[in-house]
Amino acid sequence: MSGLSHRRGVSRLLGRLELVVIWVVTAVALAPFLWLMVTAFKHRTDVMSPTPKILFSPTLSNFHEAFVIGPFTTNLINSLVTASASTLLCLVLGLPAAYAFSRFRVYGEKHVFFYVLTTRMAPGIALVLPLYMFFQSIGLLGTLTAVTVAQTTFNLALVVYLMRNFFNDIPRELDEAALTEGAGEWQVFTRIILPLARPGIAVTAMISFLFAWNEFLFAFMLGGTGAQTLPAAFPGLVTPHGTYWGQLAAASVVVSIPVLIMIWFIQRHLTRGLTFGAVK
Amino acid sequence: MTRKTPWGGWQWLVPMMAFLLIIELWPFLVMLDQSVHYLSYTQPGKNGQFIGLDNYRKAVFDDDLFHGVSVTLLYMLIALPVEFVAGLALAVLISYHMTLKRIVMPLLLIPMVLAPVVVGLVARLNLNPDFGLLGIMLRELGIAPEGLLGTPFNAFLTIVAVDVWQWTPFVTMIFLAAIIGMPREPYEAAVVDGASRWHMFRRITLPMLQPIIGVVLLLRLTDAFKVFDQVFIMTGGGPGAATELLTIFAYKVNFAYWNLGYGSAVVALLFFISFVMTFTVMKLVNRMSRGKA
Amino acid sequence: MAKVRLENVSKVYGDVVAVRDIDLEIDHNEFVVLVGPSGCGKSTTLRMIAGLEEISGGSIHIGDRVVNDEPPRMRNVAMVFQNYALYPHMSVRENLAFGLTLARVPRREIDLKVAEAADILGLDELLDRQPAQLSGGERQRVAMGRAIVRHPDVFLFDEPLSNLDAQLRTQMRTEIKRLHRKVKTTVVYVTHDQVEAMTLADRVVIMRAGKVEQIGTPDNIFHYPANAFVAKFIGSPPMNMFDAVVAETTDGKVLRVDSDWQLPVPRHLATRVEAGHEVVIGLRADDITPRGHGMPPREGAVFESAVNIVEPLGSETLLFVNFGPSETIAKMVRPRTVQEGETLSFDVNLEELKLFDRSSGQAIERTRA
């Protein structure tokens, strides 16, 4: 649509004004986060400076304290393990289901779908309490397994929804061609659908990884100290004696890096991803 | 077009369903069972006793729970309209300057994709009255010298503001995608007819956005209802109980006071509310996609 | 090669009947074309033969097997789709080989068969390309190649040419016909294009609203349409149709179109109709010709009219002229320049005049000469 707008002088001025507004909003959206990023590279005295310091001598001491002296490296590894494992588990469980929903008239499809969706829409606390008691009863509380499994629960719905959408984009004639050529459904799935859906799988995996990576409550409650992920370690640095701003900022930078990288790749698909495919 | 398959396709769902039954349904049923028992350390003698719906009855009359509901409602009532108006305005503005879209949108999306704990931390750092970027500015201007998280009123407004900061771009992103996907012809016809931009917005853009507005609204509703992480990091529900959302209340009952029987009932109620909301979302999204086909 | 037999086959979606009680026997190596307007059930019928749609009633036989409940892969049929349905992630070679690899045919044999098919269709140069790099016609040929390599019992074509431009379509049509002569197999071909149907088919099956209207050779269907629908559907321009009532006059029976416009009932139909019979007259443009610009008919009628519209087609010219109260299309096979508004006299070839019962639409059968 766009572009049909400015025709005369007045509207050119208006156009300029609009540009200014857009940039100011963008700046407001970014500045607080940038401030945190910058803080990660400041000495403690600069962090606490009562006049905001734009110019300062950068240092990696915060990262050193957090990841070398402190325990954050373990947390980082825990985060990587649980996010990757839960993404993998989501795909293994969700891809066949998404295929069935995309291709077959599944009995009770609507109900299953709805059930899957509730796990996504329910507040984390509503899912974490049952899981907490469940893992406690089987002695898995505080393990990476518990965190992985819990993160799978809330990503599964997303994977099924997104992948069904991606599968729907693959023309059914291809399945039908393969079926008449002698393929069974499993072969259609593995030899036609999965290879063709590879970009979609990559996007879905990234989104699912991001959610697991960013997730706090499940990891905090179920990981305990034994399987603490990076976000779950944050409250530990807000102590009665004060907040370890430098280390927290450093950890924030590390948590945010994969997010920022991936957002670049999945930008185009984010709308779809965050609206369950309701908006393309 | 879907095809028929033996077993109604259920062989493909077995792994997922098995997982969901064991990991979700079973624990959930266990929790429901707990919610009709007395489970707390305050009266050890009574611990484990079956008490029917007492926990639910208690919940209905619990002032703290009611407070949580009010905070959550107020939170949504303020945050969502602001996000909608601001997000829509921004989307329309950007649609007039499409060359900017590729640079501006990814930047705008950053707050949205950050880990909620990072969002909470960003807020705390920036709002710190002693050395935060925003905190210092406000202090210099003489606004809220006690710090934005310091008083109940300020703290509540702040968590709402953070929500607006984080999620307005989400609204923008979806509306922008919808605007870009619109057919050009009505706009071209309107230009030929000499319509003003405001007219085009009122008569063409807004009506065409209508189905999507519903979807975004309900997605935002469920998401705002779920909010926990960043508020937990920012205020932990305080000061007092000023920012004690329903989710934070539920957390405290279970994991701060270890009142697990009553807590289970609260969580069950929470689940029920979100269930109703999900149902509505699903109805709407379904109707939309059918409208497209 | 195999016979295909459909017995009382029907397909119901909810309460919509897409195909109603179709009976059809297709012989070894016969080329049968299902044709009809969109929504007539032709594609559904084809897909039921392929096993892509379940049948709601009746039975389908391929060779001597009843295949009703067999999945597509057990039926040994090959299908060519409208959009070709080439696997985009495989090269042409892999596309051709896919069915054979599924059947676990040894590598060497696959190579041989692929080479053979590529040779037949002239695809040798393209084997290592990806589908995206091919033109429409090339994709079409790969799709056919994919069917050939497996030596299936039956070839199924689902509107295979409708995505090609007009020129390529004519060319591919001939190629399909040539291919059929070469590989000799049973073919069921679906199209909405009557020209395709007429040129390709050994037998044409004309369908409408889920039912078979007529089955016959192209010649048969053109000259002896079973009903008004078939008559109008086959042939271009479509057959001219006029409502008329049979009346008895001193000169014998006539077809009265209105009070002052009538045609004699031709000899071959004279005993078939009685006065008062409400009928529809069918006359092809070929049988209404300007004097001296067509074959003079053996049994004819003559009328005069001004020419309303002239449509020159090169080898022939269509003239829109008044025929009593309505308009009709006449054909000039040895064209000369005609001005619009010019008045000409026209021969009507009564020998080819068809009559249809107005209420049932069924053709009134002619007496054998």
Side-chain angles (χ1 to χ4, degrees):
Chain A
M1 70 138 270
S2 77
L4 305 166
S5 24
H6 326 123
R7 282 155 298 177
R8 284 169 218 93
V10 187
S11 40
R12 182 170 301 166
L13 190 70
L14 193 65
R16 290 270 161 78
L17 207 69
E18 286 165 6
L19 286 180
V20 172
V21 172
I22 293 173
W23 280 115
V24 167
V25 170
T26 311
V28 169
L30 276 185
F33 176 61
L34 288 180
W35 189 249
L36 181 73
M37 298 282 266
V38 167
T39 301
F41 298 94
K42 284 180 176 173
H43 286 288
R44 185 168 309 163
T45 47
D46 290 335
V47 171
M48 304 289 218
S49 159
T51 50
K53 284 215 169 177
I54 306 285
L55 294 173
F56 59 93
S57 55
T59 169
L60 289 175
S61 64
N62 291 322
F63 292 89
H64 189 258
E65 273 175 48
F67 289 93
V68 181
I69 301 169
F72 273 22
T73 303
T74 318
N75 300 135
L76 178 65
I77 291 167
N78 287 343
S79 272
L80 281 173
V81 170
T82 55
S84 311
S86 85
T87 299
L88 202 68
L89 191 56
C90 274
L91 292 178
V92 169
L93 300 173
L95 286 175
Y99 177 72
F101 287 135
S102 165
R103 280 348 197 218
F104 308 135
R105 230 169 307 147
V106 178
Y107 294 138
E109 170 163 350
K110 270 191 176 168
H111 302 284
V112 178
F113 240 78
F114 182 56
Y115 176 56
V116 174
L117 193 63
T118 53
T119 64
R120 173 80 207 179
M121 296 300 194
I125 184 72
L127 299 172
V128 90
L129 177 66
L131 281 175
Y132 182 88
M133 299 185 299
F134 174 69
F135 285 124
Q136 193 175 40
S137 68
I138 58 172
L140 281 178
L141 210 56
T143 63
L144 291 174
T145 314
V147 178
T148 303
V149 166
Q151 293 181 338
T152 304
T153 59
F154 71 82
N155 269 334
L156 199 50
L158 185 84
V159 169
V160 171
Y161 253 84
L162 279 183
M163 285 317 301
R164 184 188 62 154
N165 271 319
F166 281 116
F167 288 159
N168 280 345
D169 290 348
I170 298 172
R172 265 140 241 258
E173 279 194 346
L174 294 182
D175 314 17
E176 291 176 347
L179 286 172
T180 51
E181 282 204 81
E185 292 290 356
W186 181 252
Q187 284 163 319
V188 174
F189 180 57
T190 55
R191 305 191 57 169
I192 307 290
I193 302 296
L194 285 187
L196 285 175
R198 228 177 282 155
I201 295 174
V203 167
T204 306
M206 278 192 210
I207 295 180
S208 146
F209 181 92
L210 279 191
F211 277 124
W213 174 263
N214 279 347
E215 200 283 323
F216 167 74
L217 182 60
F218 287 67
F220 182 63
M221 287 313 305
L222 305 175
T225 45
Q228 206 171 38
T229 64
L230 210 40
F234 273 45
L237 290 183
V238 185
T239 69
H241 320 295
T243 304
Y244 294 88
W245 287 110
Q247 290 189 44
L248 279 172
S252 296
V253 169
V254 174
V255 174
S256 304
I257 285 172
V259 178
L260 296 181
I261 293 173
M262 283 191 194
I263 193 84
W264 185 255
F265 287 106
I266 58 177
Q267 235 192 87
R268 259 178 345 111
H269 302 277
L270 209 61
T271 318
R272 214 188 216 198
L274 293 176
T275 59
F276 284 87
V279 181
K280 276 194 186 171
Chain B
M1 220 186 315
T2 47
R3 50 183 182 264
K4 274 209 172 160
T5 188
W7 306 95
W10 268 74
Q11 64 276 40
W12 295 83
L13 304 186
V14 165
M16 181 181 80
M17 291 315 282
F19 178 87
L20 290 178
L21 288 182
I22 298 169
I23 303 300
E24 290 189 40
L25 194 60
W26 172 246
F28 186 74
L29 294 177
V30 170
M31 186 195 76
L32 283 188
D33 177 60
Q34 285 208 18
S35 73
V36 292
H37 286 87
Y38 185 86
L39 283 174
S40 175
Y41 302 113
T42 42
Q43 281 176 276
K46 215 179 159 190
N47 213 0
Q49 205 176 314
F50 177 80
I51 52 168
L53 293 178
D54 277 4
N55 282 328
Y56 291 93
R57 220 165 285 140
K58 181 179 164 197
V60 173
F61 297 108
D62 187 341
D63 285 344
D64 292 340
L65 187 142
F66 182 76
H67 174 77
V69 172
S70 330
V71 174
T72 295
L73 272 181
L74 207 56
Y75 180 90
M76 297 199 282
L77 270 175
I78 302 173
L80 298 200
V82 175
E83 283 162 23
F84 258 74
V85 174
L88 179 59
L90 194 57
V92 172
L93 275 190
I94 295 177
S95 79
Y96 293 151
H97 301 273
M98 285 302 287
T99 42
L100 272 186
K101 186 205 158 217
R102 287 186 48 192
I103 314 162
V104 168
M105 272 324 280
L107 296 178
L108 278 176
L109 294 184
I110 288 176
M112 189 176 91
V113 293
L114 290 177
V117 286
V118 173
V119 170
L121 199 70
V122 165
R124 277 187 76 144
L125 177 71
N126 280 277
L127 296 176
N128 187 298
D130 295 323
F131 52 87
L133 191 58
L134 198 60
I136 294 172
M137 280 198 265
L138 291 175
R139 191 191 56 202
E140 293 297 315
L141 292 170
I143 304 168
E146 60 287 75
L148 277 177
L149 296 171
T151 70
F153 181 71
N154 287 352
F156 178 74
L157 279 190
T158 303
I159 62 165
V160 172
V162 169
D163 196 276
V164 170
W165 172 72
Q166 196 187 1
W167 290 105
T168 301
F170 171 78
V171 179
T172 300
M173 174 184 82
I174 291 172
F175 282 147
L176 188 57
I179 290 174
I180 291 170
M182 285 177 181
R184 275 189 79 93
E185 291 79 11
Y187 291 97
E188 286 170 350
V191 169
V192 172
D193 292 343
S196 68
R197 283 205 306 189
W198 170 248
H199 243 87
M200 287 194 250
F201 172 75
R202 278 284 293 120
R203 302 278 166 212
I204 304 174
T205 312
L206 213 51
M208 288 211 280
L209 283 178
Q210 213 179 328
I212 294 171
I213 290 176
V215 174
V216 180
L217 180 70
L218 285 157
L219 282 169
R220 281 305 301 131
L221 268 177
T222 47
D223 271 352
F225 184 69
K226 281 166 65 173
V227 164
F228 177 86
D229 299 359
Q230 66 261 48
V231 177
F232 184 74
I233 291 285
M234 271 190 287
T235 67
T243 57
E244 195 172 293
L245 298 164
L246 202 45
T247 49
I248 293 188
F249 171 74
Y251 171 87
K252 283 189 172 169
V253 170
N254 286 295
F255 298 121
Y257 313 137
W258 295 100
N259 204 342
L260 291 176
Y262 178 52
S264 295
V266 170
V267 165
L269 286 176
L270 214 69
F271 204 92
F272 176 74
I273 298 172
S274 86
F275 188 82
V276 172
M277 281 166 58
T278 308
F279 190 72
T280 329
V281 173
M282 181 104 155
K283 271 261 144 77
L284 209 110
V285 171
N286 272 352
R287 195 183 311 150
M288 252 204 63
S289 49
R290 224 176 298 135
K292 250 186 279 173
Chain C
M1 68 206 90
K3 286 189 186 185
V4 177
R5 191 149 52 88
L6 277 64
E7 274 175 12
N8 276 321
V9 171
S10 50
K11 176 74 189 180
V12 184
Y13 297 105
D15 32 82
V16 180
V17 182
V19 173
R20 194 189 298 266
D21 296 332
I22 285 197
D23 283 301
L24 179 61
E25 247 191 281
I26 301 166
D27 209 354
H28 290 299
N29 301 346
E30 195 182 10
F31 199 126
V32 166
V33 176
L34 308 182
V35 65
S38 63
C40 71
K42 54 191 192 297
S43 272
T44 308
T45 307
L46 190 78
R47 292 168 59 84
M48 287 193 286
I49 299 174
L52 295 171
E53 299 279 352
E54 267 192 318
I55 59 176
S56 312
S59 61
I60 296 179
H61 307 249
I62 297 178
D64 38 24
R65 294 171 300 145
V66 178
V67 296
N68 291 6
D69 298 316
E70 285 185 8
R73 72 191 135 98
M74 310 294 288
R75 299 192 182 193
N76 197 24
V77 298
M79 187 145 162
V80 176
F81 293 84
Q82 181 173 358
N83 300 311
Y84 324 127
L86 301 185
Y87 311 122
H89 58 303
M90 300 181 192
S91 67
V92 170
R93 187 191 305 279
E94 290 165 330
N95 262 284
L96 294 176
F98 184 67
L100 299 172
T101 46
L102 287 176
R104 301 188 190 286
V105 175
R107 192 74 242 168
R108 289 254 300 287
E109 207 177 317
I110 293 181
D111 289 343
L112 227 64
K113 287 185 169 173
V114 168
E116 184 196 23
D119 188 49
I120 292 176
L121 291 161
L123 291 169
D124 315 70
E125 306 287 305
L126 306 174
L127 283 177
D128 294 312
R129 300 253 189 102
Q130 296 294 122
Q133 299 168 294
L134 303 179
S135 70
E138 288 166 343
R139 285 179 205 186
Q140 180 62 64
R141 268 185 284 159
V142 176
M144 290 198 286
R146 205 165 60 175
I148 296 177
V149 286
R150 291 176 40 234
H151 296 289
D153 286 339
V154 186
F155 262 52
L156 305 172
F157 287 87
D158 190 6
E159 307 236 10
L161 302 182
S162 53
N163 280 4
L164 301 176
D165 62 50
Q167 205 181 351
L168 201 52
R169 199 179 308 161
T170 327
Q171 189 190 326
M172 289 307 296
R173 203 170 66 201
T174 320
E175 243 178 88
I176 290 177
K177 195 157 187 171
R178 221 183 285 267
L179 184 73
H180 179 244
R181 304 293 182 265
K182 225 186 277 182
V183 299
K184 291 247 185 306
T185 186
T186 311
V187 174
V188 186
Y189 186 110
V190 161
T191 179
H192 62 271
D193 178 354
Q194 50 103 7
V195 179
E196 238 169 86
M198 299 291 277
T199 48
L200 284 171
D202 293 329
R203 274 194 307 155
V204 179
V205 178
I206 297 180
M207 294 181 67
R208 177 173 62 156
K211 283 198 291 204
V212 171
E213 294 285 335
Q214 190 172 3
I215 304 178
T217 62
D219 220 39
N220 194 282
I221 276 183
F222 185 81
H223 290 292
Y224 307 102
N227 53 48
F229 171 77
V230 173
K232 221 169 163 123
F233 189 77
I234 297 290
S236 170
M239 187 182 274
N240 300 299
M241 301 271 189
F242 318 96
D243 285 351
V245 182
V246 179
E248 196 79 53
T249 66
T250 46
D251 299 335
K253 289 176 192 158
V254 295
L255 299 162
R256 185 161 285 157
V257 176
D258 71 1
S259 53
D260 48 24
W261 191 264
Q262 60 189 39
L263 286 172
V265 175
R267 268 195 300 268
H268 64 268
L269 289 161
T271 59
R272 298 290 187 180
V273 288
E274 296 306 324
H277 197 154
E278 296 196 320
V279 294
V280 177
I281 302 172
L283 270 173
R284 292 199 190 279
D286 314 59
D287 300 313
I288 305 175
T289 48
R291 270 269 141 108
H293 291 280
M295 289 287 284
R298 274 186 291 157
E299 183 193 5
V302 183
F303 70 97
E304 272 195 1
S305 167
V307 177
N308 299 331
I309 298 279
V310 180
E311 282 187 355
L313 297 173
S315 63
E316 59 198 36
T317 295
L318 300 182
L319 306 172
F320 289 70
V321 299
N322 297 325
F323 187 81
S326 44
E327 196 176 55
T328 186
I329 307 174
K331 192 185 270 183
M332 182 159 47
V333 287
R334 275 171 291 152
R336 68 168 177 85
T337 313
V338 178
Q339 300 299 322
E340 287 175 3
E342 196 176 326
T343 300
L344 298 173
S345 43
F346 295 87
D347 284 325
V348 178
N349 183 4
L350 292 178
E351 244 171 300
E352 287 299 327
L353 182 142
K354 323 270 190 261
L355 281 185
F356 305 94
D357 180 83
R358 204 187 300 169
S359 55
S360 69
Q362 292 305 305
I364 295 167
E365 218 175 309
R366 57 192 297 159
T367 46
R368 306 270 169 226

PDB file of all heavy atoms in Angstrom, chain A residues 217-230:
ATOM      1  N   LEU A 217      10.849 -19.196  34.735  1.00  0.00           N
ATOM      2  CA  LEU A 217      10.134 -19.810  35.858  1.00  0.00           C
ATOM      3  C   LEU A 217      10.352 -21.325  35.979  1.00  0.00           C
ATOM      4  O   LEU A 217      10.663 -21.835  37.058  1.00  0.00           O
ATOM      5  CB  LEU A 217       8.639 -19.496  35.739  1.00  0.00           C
ATOM      6  CG  LEU A 217       7.753 -20.025  36.868  1.00  0.00           C
ATOM      7  CD1 LEU A 217       8.176 -19.442  38.208  1.00  0.00           C
ATOM      8  CD2 LEU A 217       6.297 -19.699  36.594  1.00  0.00           C
ATOM      9  N   PHE A 218      10.203 -22.028  34.854  1.00  0.00           N
ATOM     10  CA  PHE A 218      10.374 -23.485  34.886  1.00  0.00           C
ATOM     11  C   PHE A 218      11.777 -23.850  35.353  1.00  0.00           C
ATOM     12  O   PHE A 218      11.973 -24.699  36.224  1.00  0.00           O
ATOM     13  CB  PHE A 218      10.147 -24.084  33.495  1.00  0.00           C
ATOM     14  CG  PHE A 218       8.719 -24.110  33.075  1.00  0.00           C
ATOM     15  CD1 PHE A 218       8.032 -22.940  32.826  1.00  0.00           C
ATOM     16  CD2 PHE A 218       8.050 -25.307  32.919  1.00  0.00           C
ATOM     17  CE1 PHE A 218       6.706 -22.954  32.447  1.00  0.00           C
ATOM     18  CE2 PHE A 218       6.722 -25.343  32.531  1.00  0.00           C
ATOM     19  CZ  PHE A 218       6.040 -24.165  32.296  1.00  0.00           C
ATOM     20  N   ALA A 219      12.752 -23.169  34.756  1.00  0.00           N
ATOM     21  CA  ALA A 219      14.131 -23.469  35.097  1.00  0.00           C
ATOM     22  C   ALA A 219      14.412 -23.126  36.558  1.00  0.00           C
ATOM     23  O   ALA A 219      15.083 -23.871  37.271  1.00  0.00           O
ATOM     24  CB  ALA A 219      15.057 -22.681  34.180  1.00  0.00           C
ATOM     25  N   PHE A 220      13.850 -22.020  36.993  1.00  0.00           N
ATOM     26  CA  PHE A 220      14.075 -21.552  38.355  1.00  0.00           C
ATOM     27  C   PHE A 220      13.485 -22.530  39.370  1.00  0.00           C
ATOM     28  O   PHE A 220      14.124 -22.912  40.346  1.00  0.00           O
ATOM     29  CB  PHE A 220      13.425 -20.172  38.502  1.00  0.00           C
ATOM     30  CG  PHE A 220      13.611 -19.525  39.843  1.00  0.00           C
ATOM     31  CD1 PHE A 220      14.888 -19.187  40.292  1.00  0.00           C
ATOM     32  CD2 PHE A 220      12.519 -19.234  40.647  1.00  0.00           C
ATOM     33  CE1 PHE A 220      15.065 -18.580  41.526  1.00  0.00           C
ATOM     34  CE2 PHE A 220      12.689 -18.630  41.882  1.00  0.00           C
ATOM     35  CZ  PHE A 220      13.963 -18.298  42.322  1.00  0.00           C
ATOM     36  N   MET A 221      12.269 -22.974  39.115  1.00  0.00           N
ATOM     37  CA  MET A 221      11.583 -23.835  40.069  1.00  0.00           C
ATOM     38  C   MET A 221      12.024 -25.290  39.979  1.00  0.00           C
ATOM     39  O   MET A 221      12.117 -25.988  40.987  1.00  0.00           O
ATOM     40  CB  MET A 221      10.054 -23.771  39.842  1.00  0.00           C
ATOM     41  CG  MET A 221       9.396 -22.488  40.280  1.00  0.00           C
ATOM     42  SD  MET A 221       9.895 -21.961  41.921  1.00  0.00           S
ATOM     43  CE  MET A 221       9.490 -23.429  42.877  1.00  0.00           C
ATOM     44  N   LEU A 222      12.243 -25.777  38.766  1.00  0.00           N
ATOM     45  CA  LEU A 222      12.496 -27.204  38.598  1.00  0.00           C
ATOM     46  C   LEU A 222      13.971 -27.531  38.532  1.00  0.00           C
ATOM     47  O   LEU A 222      14.377 -28.661  38.780  1.00  0.00           O
ATOM     48  CB  LEU A 222      11.806 -27.716  37.324  1.00  0.00           C
ATOM     49  CG  LEU A 222      10.303 -27.429  37.246  1.00  0.00           C
ATOM     50  CD1 LEU A 222       9.754 -27.857  35.910  1.00  0.00           C
ATOM     51  CD2 LEU A 222       9.576 -28.135  38.376  1.00  0.00           C
ATOM     52  N   GLY A 223      14.788 -26.526  38.164  1.00  0.00           N
ATOM     53  CA  GLY A 223      16.219 -26.781  38.023  1.00  0.00           C
ATOM     54  C   GLY A 223      16.948 -26.711  39.353  1.00  0.00           C
ATOM     55  O   GLY A 223      18.035 -27.259  39.518  1.00  0.00           O
ATOM     56  N   GLY A 224      16.346 -26.027  40.316  1.00  0.00           N
ATOM     57  CA  GLY A 224      16.989 -25.883  41.626  1.00  0.00           C
ATOM     58  C   GLY A 224      18.388 -25.326  41.451  1.00  0.00           C
ATOM     59  O   GLY A 224      18.645 -24.489  40.584  1.00  0.00           O
ATOM     60  N   THR A 225      19.311 -25.798  42.251  1.00  0.00           N
ATOM     61  CA  THR A 225      20.686 -25.351  42.098  1.00  0.00           C
ATOM     62  C   THR A 225      21.457 -26.303  41.201  1.00  0.00           C
ATOM     63  O   THR A 225      22.442 -25.937  40.576  1.00  0.00           O
ATOM     64  CB  THR A 225      21.408 -25.257  43.459  1.00  0.00           C
ATOM     65  OG1 THR A 225      21.089 -26.451  44.189  1.00  0.00           O
ATOM     66  CG2 THR A 225      20.962 -24.030  44.226  1.00  0.00           C
ATOM     67  N   GLY A 226      20.969 -27.519  41.099  1.00  0.00           N
ATOM     68  CA  GLY A 226      21.706 -28.532  40.337  1.00  0.00           C
ATOM     69  C   GLY A 226      21.656 -28.312  38.841  1.00  0.00           C
ATOM     70  O   GLY A 226      22.586 -28.672  38.125  1.00  0.00           O
ATOM     71  N   ALA A 227      20.567 -27.736  38.363  1.00  0.00           N
ATOM     72  CA  ALA A 227      20.435 -27.574  36.921  1.00  0.00           C
ATOM     73  C   ALA A 227      19.998 -26.157  36.601  1.00  0.00           C
ATOM     74  O   ALA A 227      19.110 -25.925  35.806  1.00  0.00           O
ATOM     75  CB  ALA A 227      19.419 -28.582  36.371  1.00  0.00           C
ATOM     76  N   GLN A 228      20.660 -25.215  37.238  1.00  0.00           N
ATOM     77  CA  GLN A 228      20.281 -23.824  37.076  1.00  0.00           C
ATOM     78  C   GLN A 228      20.700 -23.298  35.702  1.00  0.00           C
ATOM     79  O   GLN A 228      21.865 -23.387  35.335  1.00  0.00           O
ATOM     80  CB  GLN A 228      20.964 -23.010  38.155  1.00  0.00           C
ATOM     81  CG  GLN A 228      20.243 -21.753  38.523  1.00  0.00           C
ATOM     82  CD  GLN A 228      20.868 -21.114  39.744  1.00  0.00           C
ATOM     83  OE1 GLN A 228      22.094 -21.134  39.899  1.00  0.00           O
ATOM     84  NE2 GLN A 228      20.046 -20.553  40.610  1.00  0.00           N
ATOM     85  N   THR A 229      19.739 -22.764  34.966  1.00  0.00           N
ATOM     86  CA  THR A 229      20.100 -22.159  33.682  1.00  0.00           C
ATOM     87  C   THR A 229      20.511 -20.719  33.927  1.00  0.00           C
ATOM     88  O   THR A 229      20.373 -20.199  35.035  1.00  0.00           O
ATOM     89  CB  THR A 229      18.915 -22.182  32.709  1.00  0.00           C
ATOM     90  OG1 THR A 229      17.870 -21.378  33.251  1.00  0.00           O
ATOM     91  CG2 THR A 229      18.410 -23.597  32.485  1.00  0.00           C
ATOM     92  N   LEU A 230      20.980 -20.097  32.879  1.00  0.00           N
ATOM     93  CA  LEU A 230      21.472 -18.733  33.013  1.00  0.00           C
ATOM     94  C   LEU A 230      20.392 -17.764  33.529  1.00  0.00           C
ATOM     95  O   LEU A 230      20.620 -17.070  34.525  1.00  0.00           O
ATOM     96  CB  LEU A 230      22.033 -18.273  31.652  1.00  0.00           C
ATOM     97  CG  LEU A 230      23.164 -17.256  31.636  1.00  0.00           C
ATOM     98  CD1 LEU A 230      24.195 -17.509  32.720  1.00  0.00           C
ATOM     99  CD2 LEU A 230      23.846 -17.269  30.277  1.00  0.00           C
TER     100      LEU A 230
END
